[in-house]
Amino acid sequence: MKTLDTPAMCSLGFVLLLCVASTCAVNAQTSNVLPAPRSQDEKMAWFREAKFGLFIHWGLYAIPAGEWKGKRSPGIGEWVMHRMKIPVKDYEQLAQQFNPFKFDAEEWVKMAEDAGMRYIVITSKHHDGFALYRSKTSPYNVVDATPFRRDVLKELAAACARRGMKLGFYYSQAQDWHDPNGAGNTWDFGPDENKDFDKYLREKAEPQVRELLTGYGPVCLVWFDTPRMMTPERSQRFVEIVEKLQPATLIDGRLGVKGDYFTTGDNFIPDLARDDDWETPATVNHTWGFRRDDEDWKSPGEILFKLMDIVSKGGNYLLNVGPDADGVIPKPSADNLRTVGRWLKVYGEAVYGAGRSPFGEEFGEFSAAQKDRNGKPLFLVRNDWRCTTKPGKVYITIFNVPREGLDLPPFKNQIRKAYVLGDPQKQEVTIEMVNGVRVARVPRPGPHATAYVLVLEIEGDKIER
Ligand code: JFZ
């Protein structure tokens, strides 16, 4: 063996070591970002698989919780500053009180996991302009402006990475009630038309979106919102930032130009299936940000029906919780979500990666006589069952089965096998012909089942009608 310890070899070794170390550092950084997808299908793959996500609205508004100076502020909690026309100099004082000592990122992620959710989207900055992470762009953030001094998004990103949960960021690109040139705050800064909106975009929103896409690992999506004053040119600048820094990151439907998927109105579920990729953002009560007085929680059964309604129409369900000022997700909402998660443990095969219904008549029909609020024909919703699909399989989630059995809608394929999901014996479900209609005699799997899933294994990949 030749000795290497001449001074020249030593310094060569040192240089080599340095090179290795610096490549490692670069790798650690770049491996933070997922490779560029080769097609839109590849880009959308995780989203189409996931189906169910957790939305989190959290910020300074959790402190007033729907009330300001003893007066109730009507509407959604995170809008309190706007509703009550609170001056920036008063509202920003809230930062000094923000000290959510019970915040535990791991617990939040665990809750989402228990609920069967496959991605989390959190408000990195809502309309009030306050950033929930350490931002070099603006000191109005959770580390530099609060006694808490912890980077909430860093902790959440780390917990998500540990648990294999996808993480995305809501970012209010247009409305910023804290910035003199952001949209929305007319009580401090006058009408939006007189503002230098591009100055705000260039100096706050764009740099902050860059920060979010560089310091927090892979970001599954950016959820832009309320695109006031967002011209196509302005919106395109955000598209370019996202594409350049993280080409695999999805953009929602509220940037100002077309994103990677369509976002419905809040809590809105379309009457019929859609062919594109889409998502319904929804609340578990009537607010996004925490409100002390809103305890009107949707039940697990309601949530489950909405989930299956959405999935059977080809969409994703992004369901929100609003943690309180201590950092706690209100227990009733967490409990209800966990109940849905227990259902998904058994019946998840009908949800994750499942495609839309090949039928449509189960959604209901337009009334010939009755009109809705807008004078359009009223859609009479049917809610007995919803249908999802995978190649060769049809999943019928039954919410209400008539005693005589479930009439299957007409289709040409032979049924090779029928059973109830989660039945370890895969016991055959009898299907009888009654006047040319196939009737499934589905046994209720237990006395407490709110819904259960009938699986039909069919001849061929797809339903032929
Ligand atoms: C926006 C926000 O203003 C609100 O605070 C919350 O973050 C929510 C998720 O999004 O509110 C909207 C935006 C769009 C519609 C409704 C409420 N819409 O298109 O029906």
Side-chain angles (χ1 to χ4, degrees):
M1 238 332 191
K2 257 201 129 219
T3 170
L4 290 178
D5 59 351
T6 65
M9 286 317 263
C10 263
S11 57
L12 180 64
F14 181 67
V15 169
L16 271 174
L17 198 73
L18 258 183
C19 285
V20 171
S22 61
T23 348
C24 278
V26 169
N27 277 341
Q29 282 243 309
T30 45
S31 69
N32 255 341
V33 171
L34 301 175
R38 281 159 299 180
S39 64
Q40 190 61 18
D41 280 339
E42 194 179 300
K43 192 178 189 186
M44 296 308 298
W46 74 265
F47 184 84
R48 292 175 187 163
E49 175 72 29
K51 294 295 165 193
F52 194 23
L54 179 68
F55 214 171
I56 303 176
H57 275 68
W58 200 39
L60 298 180
Y61 39 79
I63 300 170
E67 206 180 284
W68 190 254
K69 296 195 170 151
K71 281 239 297 275
R72 268 193 55 184
S73 155
I76 41 187
E78 71 282 7
W79 273 72
V80 62
M81 181 178 178
H82 192 282
R83 274 297 186 122
M84 307 306 266
K85 303 287 175 278
I86 305 171
V88 165
K89 63 171 181 14
D90 295 342
Y91 187 87
E92 66 184 3
Q93 300 298 314
L94 289 170
Q96 291 165 35
Q97 293 174 53
F98 191 77
N99 201 4
F101 63 103
K102 290 183 184 161
F103 169 66
D104 181 344
E106 193 84 21
E107 212 171 283
W108 286 11
V109 179
K110 184 89 178 27
M111 199 282 297
E113 210 176 285
D114 290 346
M117 292 158 154
R118 295 289 168 87
Y119 59 111
I120 294 178
V121 181
I122 185 167
T123 47
S124 60
K125 184 206 81 171
H126 204 265
H127 307 331
D128 66 359
F130 178 79
L132 215 50
Y133 68 100
R134 167 178 262 150
S135 172
K136 292 192 189 84
T137 307
S138 158
Y140 193 44
N141 72 67
V142 68
V143 175
D144 296 312
T146 77
F148 193 51
R149 301 197 64 82
R150 279 160 56 187
D151 186 330
V152 168
L153 299 193
K154 262 264 141 69
E155 292 182 28
L156 198 62
C160 284
R162 277 195 296 274
R163 309 197 72 94
M165 177 71 71
K166 295 219 172 266
L167 179 63
F169 297 130
Y170 172 108
Y171 189 87
S172 177
Q173 79 281 24
Q175 292 198 71
D176 189 311
W177 306 329
H178 189 262
D179 192 288
N181 292 302
N185 185 342
T186 49
W187 58 98
D188 280 304
F189 305 122
D192 287 348
E193 306 85 81
N194 300 345
K195 292 172 181 170
D196 189 350
F197 187 60
D198 279 301
K199 181 178 162 66
Y200 152 74
L201 289 180
R202 299 261 188 218
E203 292 175 11
K204 185 168 182 186
E206 292 170 26
Q208 287 201 326
V209 170
R210 273 189 216 104
E211 289 175 333
L212 291 165
L213 290 164
T214 38
Y216 299 85
V219 176
C220 70
L221 60 85
V222 184
W223 217 94
F224 294 106
D225 198 10
T226 60
R228 297 188 191 174
M229 311 209 277
M230 293 301 293
T231 58
E233 294 72 39
R234 286 165 173 164
S235 310
Q236 195 54 35
R237 300 211 292 266
F238 286 98
V239 173
E240 274 152 30
I241 290 168
V242 175
E243 277 179 354
K244 177 156 178 274
L245 295 173
Q246 295 212 24
T249 302
L250 306 186
I251 293 176
D252 75 328
R254 293 186 182 173
L255 171 56
V257 285
K258 202 171 172 300
D260 290 293
Y261 63 85
F262 171 75
T263 305
T264 72
D266 300 9
N267 286 302
F268 179 82
I269 303 175
D271 292 330
L272 304 171
R274 294 178 58 106
D275 293 328
D276 53 353
D277 293 301
W278 61 275
E279 179 182 64
T280 290
T283 52
V284 277
N285 47 355
H286 303 276
T287 181
W288 305 87
F290 178 72
R291 278 192 73 107
R292 210 169 287 111
D293 60 354
D294 186 346
E295 299 194 77
D296 186 26
W297 311 106
K298 291 187 181 79
S299 70
E302 286 174 88
I303 293 169
L304 184 57
F305 180 77
K306 287 177 195 300
L307 173 65
M308 297 318 297
D309 195 25
I310 289 168
V311 176
S312 72
K313 291 168 179 171
N316 281 22
Y317 194 20
L318 183 62
L319 188 53
N320 181 75
V321 295
D324 68 17
D326 292 341
V328 176
I329 297 172
K331 193 173 176 333
S333 58
D335 286 347
N336 289 354
L337 292 178
R338 286 197 190 93
T339 303
V340 174
R342 280 194 296 278
W343 188 91
L344 284 166
K345 276 256 178 316
V346 180
Y347 301 105
E349 191 190 317
V351 175
Y352 306 113
R356 51 181 64 65
S357 171
F359 307 118
E361 53 264 51
E362 73 274 27
F363 299 136
E365 64 202 341
F366 289 98
S367 165
Q370 287 165 278
K371 303 268 184 274
D372 69 12
R373 278 183 203 154
N374 305 316
K376 301 222 180 79
L378 181 69
F379 193 74
L380 302 170
V381 176
R382 297 176 63 182
N383 49 19
D384 289 345
W385 54 271
R386 286 296 180 263
C387 178
T388 53
T389 47
K390 284 186 183 170
K393 285 185 179 177
V394 172
Y395 302 94
I396 299 190
T397 303
I398 300 170
F399 291 90
N400 174 31
V401 67
R403 228 169 70 85
E404 326 76 65
L406 184 90
D407 292 6
L408 298 179
F411 56 88
K412 293 190 186 124
N413 315 53
Q414 293 296 313
I415 297 169
R416 296 163 63 197
K417 227 192 226 170
Y419 52 90
V420 171
L421 212 60
D423 174 2
Q425 270 87 51
K426 284 203 177 184
Q427 211 180 84
E428 195 73 29
V429 167
T430 319
I431 297 190
E432 274 171 59
M433 272 301 222
V434 182
N435 299 328
V437 176
R438 283 185 280 200
V439 180
R441 311 276 183 205
V442 202
R444 190 178 285 269
H448 306 298
T450 7
Y452 44 98
V453 177
L454 169 68
V455 188
L456 305 176
E457 292 191 1
I458 55 165
E459 213 124 76
D461 265 6
K462 274 208 214 119
I463 287 285
E464 306 285 342
R465 303 217 70 190

